Amino acid sequence: MRMKVKKTKHDHPSNYLRSAVLMYEQQLEHLPFKNIEALERRIKSLLDSQGLDRYALIVHDQDKDENDEIIKPHVHVTLIFNERVSINAIAKVLDESPQQFEVMTKRGNSAKVGAENALMYLIHRTSKSTNKHQYSVSAVRANFDFATFVSRQEQQVSSKDILDLLGDGKVSEIQAKQMMMAKGANVFANYSRKIKDVAAARLEIEYERWLVDMKQSKKQIKVIWIYGESGTGKTRYTIDFAIRHHKSYFKTSGSNDPFEGYAGEKVLIIDELRPETLRFQDLLQILDPHVYEKKTVARYHNAHIMAEVIFITSPYDPLRFYNSMYGISNRIDNFQQLNRRIGLILNFQYRFILEQICEVADMDGSLGYVTIQTNRNQYSGKQISNGFSMDELEEINNESSGDVNDSQGEQSNDM
């Protein structure tokens, strides 16, 4: 008679499971590695030791719970093996508990279907995850061409479904264009106008909801003016702020249509503002912290501004900026109109960030800046070395995908 083995409280069903497709999930704060790079290095060791064929990983930092609150950032890793492996063995290699792994080859599904679903879930493009935040393909790290894989998968989605996803806000306008382009240039040409119309209609609806919420809450829009020399980290700070607070952001371009592409992002970064970039009245309208019904100044389409935080980065401080503007009347368009709209002035220097206010500084009534707090600058470009050695330069091919060599070979055959 066979003797039964008594399971202990440490035994878990996942310890005995085997699968060719696994999903690993862990919060970043509980990750048994110093960072994502260290995790990826350990995953790569599975390529030889455990027969790992493909892997893809992503950090989810925009997921929300049922109360619409951002949940803690966590990593998802899809692991696809050449044959079924023990969850317990993989967990040991990654210094993890087997409970952090999920078998993706469910009963009735082939390993191929399980792998496809697991990979598409990373960017929330499965049928059951379209109501979640849609992550960019570029956010995924993989040992294969993940973008091409997604493109092929999205070709299976109908054109009408893509429009519905866009209308429901489950994909962005850019993502909808990418999905439609994956179906072919002719299909994209037939639907490009519809994509634009649906995106505009969705933004209009979002704006009306946002406007109601802002008026009811009477929330003040925060306006921050950041000035300093090039390389002091002005723009880097604004982008880092948006990412840390899990807010979408838009940074103006240096073209003659700086607001082109703005689509309701909650953090607006007017980058490297010069006196000739905007008319003074347009700038005052955009920066008014108590007016919600305002639009961008665009060449072809003035979009509703839904920003709750507005950053201006400039080599000019506000007073010097005002004095450098051409064609304004000091009697009608005075400096205090601009100064009153700014809630915080930051002077970025290479070592420090100064919080300042602009007020009467001299007996003669002239204006100047008074520093009220000093912080260490962790964003200055002076702290980052862009140099590299000749040996590192020679390693450039090892960092590329090899596509360049392939394309050069094809071109040489045509010559």
Side-chain angles (χ1 to χ4, degrees):
M1 184 175 70
R2 177 180 295 179
M3 182 180 292
K4 291 184 178 181
V5 178
K6 185 178 180 181
K7 293 183 179 181
T8 69
K9 64 179 181 179
H10 299 291
D11 289 328
H12 189 274
S14 64
N15 292 356
Y16 307 99
L17 292 176
R18 300 172 68 87
S19 176
V21 185
L22 301 175
M23 175 74 80
Y24 167 63
E25 179 182 357
Q26 182 60 279
Q27 292 181 358
L28 294 188
E29 63 182 10
H30 298 307
L31 201 65
F33 299 95
K34 184 178 180 181
N35 49 41
I36 294 297
E37 289 73 21
L39 169 63
E40 186 174 12
R41 286 194 294 270
R42 184 67 63 87
I43 290 171
K44 288 180 178 179
S45 72
L46 297 172
L47 294 168
D48 294 326
S49 65
Q50 298 291 335
L52 179 65
D53 179 40
R54 290 180 292 164
Y55 74 83
L57 67 88
I58 187 173
V59 173
H60 282 184
D61 56 4
Q62 297 293 319
D63 291 359
K64 296 182 179 180
D65 59 19
E66 60 275 7
N67 298 318
D68 204 36
E69 296 291 333
I70 295 287
I71 64 177
K72 292 183 178 180
H74 52 282
V75 64
H76 283 278
V77 185
T78 297
L79 302 168
I80 305 170
F81 296 87
N82 292 316
E83 57 185 23
R84 293 167 68 238
V85 295
S86 164
I87 288 182
N88 199 41
I90 303 305
K92 285 182 178 179
V93 175
L94 297 184
D95 297 329
E96 263 293 5
S97 166
Q99 285 79 12
Q100 299 304 127
F101 294 82
E102 180 182 357
V103 170
M104 302 306 292
T105 49
K106 307 298 184 181
R107 180 173 296 179
N109 284 345
S110 66
K112 179 177 181 295
V113 172
E116 291 173 350
N117 288 336
L119 291 171
M120 292 300 285
Y121 180 80
L122 298 179
I123 53 175
H124 288 158
R125 305 283 177 85
T126 62
S127 59
K128 295 182 179 180
S129 63
T130 52
N131 61 328
K132 299 182 179 182
H133 178 80
Q134 301 291 293
Y135 289 93
S136 170
V137 171
S138 61
V140 175
R141 299 170 180 238
N143 70 329
F144 62 98
D145 192 340
F146 186 78
T148 297
F149 164 79
V150 171
S151 177
R152 289 171 179 169
Q153 291 295 308
E154 290 178 340
Q155 289 179 24
Q156 303 173 21
V157 182
S158 72
S159 301
K160 291 183 179 180
D161 287 342
I162 295 173
L163 292 179
D164 287 340
L165 290 171
L166 176 60
D168 292 339
K170 296 174 181 177
V171 298
S172 67
E173 182 177 0
I174 292 177
Q175 289 171 333
K177 288 180 178 179
Q178 292 172 340
M179 294 171 71
M180 205 69 78
M181 182 62 78
K183 302 177 76 64
N186 288 332
V187 176
F188 175 80
N190 291 333
Y191 280 88
S192 60
R193 181 65 192 180
K194 292 181 180 180
I195 290 175
K196 188 174 183 179
D197 291 343
V198 171
R202 189 192 76 193
L203 279 177
E204 191 68 29
I205 294 172
E206 288 182 4
Y207 169 71
E208 293 298 332
R209 291 173 181 168
W210 178 84
L211 190 59
V212 170
D213 290 342
M214 292 296 285
K215 287 183 175 180
Q216 289 179 346
S217 64
K218 297 181 180 179
K219 184 186 295 184
Q220 178 177 317
I221 297 170
K222 291 179 171 56
V223 179
I224 305 96
W225 190 292
I226 303 176
Y227 74 95
E229 295 182 34
S230 176
T232 53
K234 302 186 297 296
T235 304
R236 188 178 298 117
Y237 166 76
T238 62
I239 294 175
D240 179 68
F241 172 89
I243 293 174
R244 283 189 289 106
H245 291 273
H246 308 291
K247 293 184 179 293
S248 57
Y249 68 90
F250 176 85
K251 183 172 72 72
T252 59
S253 67
S255 67
N256 58 357
D257 193 6
F259 293 98
E260 181 182 7
Y262 177 78
E265 287 82 0
K266 296 302 180 285
V267 175
L268 174 59
I269 305 169
I270 304 177
D271 198 37
E272 290 299 310
L273 182 66
R274 301 294 202 276
E276 64 274 11
T277 304
L278 295 169
R279 294 190 310 120
F280 190 64
Q281 287 302 319
D282 291 333
L283 181 63
L284 293 181
Q285 181 259 146
I286 291 173
L287 299 186
D288 196 318
H290 301 290
V291 174
Y292 310 128
E293 300 175 74
K294 50 192 175 185
K295 292 187 174 184
T296 62
V297 183
R299 188 174 183 182
Y300 299 108
H301 174 68
N302 295 333
H304 293 292
I305 295 178
M306 289 183 272
E308 297 169 11
V309 179
I310 300 177
F311 286 105
I312 300 95
T313 72
S314 178
Y316 295 81
D317 64 74
L319 183 58
R320 182 179 165 221
F321 176 88
Y322 171 80
N323 290 330
S324 300
M325 291 205 75
Y326 177 77
I328 60 175
S329 171
N330 293 338
R331 289 179 298 177
I332 300 175
D333 301 317
N334 62 72
F335 170 71
Q336 288 304 330
Q337 289 179 287
L338 174 61
N339 194 37
R340 282 195 301 267
R341 285 164 166 77
I342 303 170
L344 176 64
I345 300 174
L346 298 177
N347 177 12
F348 270 52
Q349 301 176 357
Y350 289 113
R351 294 183 60 191
F352 300 103
I353 300 173
L354 311 182
E355 295 184 29
Q356 299 180 326
I357 56 175
C358 185
E359 60 181 21
V360 176
D362 296 325
M363 296 296 294
D364 61 0
S366 61
L367 294 171
Y369 292 96
V370 177
T371 298
I372 58 177
Q373 185 169 319
T374 301
N375 306 288
R376 185 170 296 277
N377 188 354
Q378 300 177 351
Y379 300 91
S380 174
K382 289 280 186 170
Q383 301 171 1
I384 302 175
S385 173
N386 295 317
F388 50 85
S389 67
M390 289 181 64
D391 290 339
E392 290 171 329
L393 177 62
E394 294 300 325
E395 293 293 322
I396 189 169
N397 282 341
N398 296 334
E399 300 174 2
S400 67
S401 62
D403 294 339
V404 175
N405 290 335
D406 294 339
S407 63
Q408 287 177 341
E410 293 172 358
Q411 290 173 355
S412 63
N413 292 334
D414 295 335
M415 292 178 64

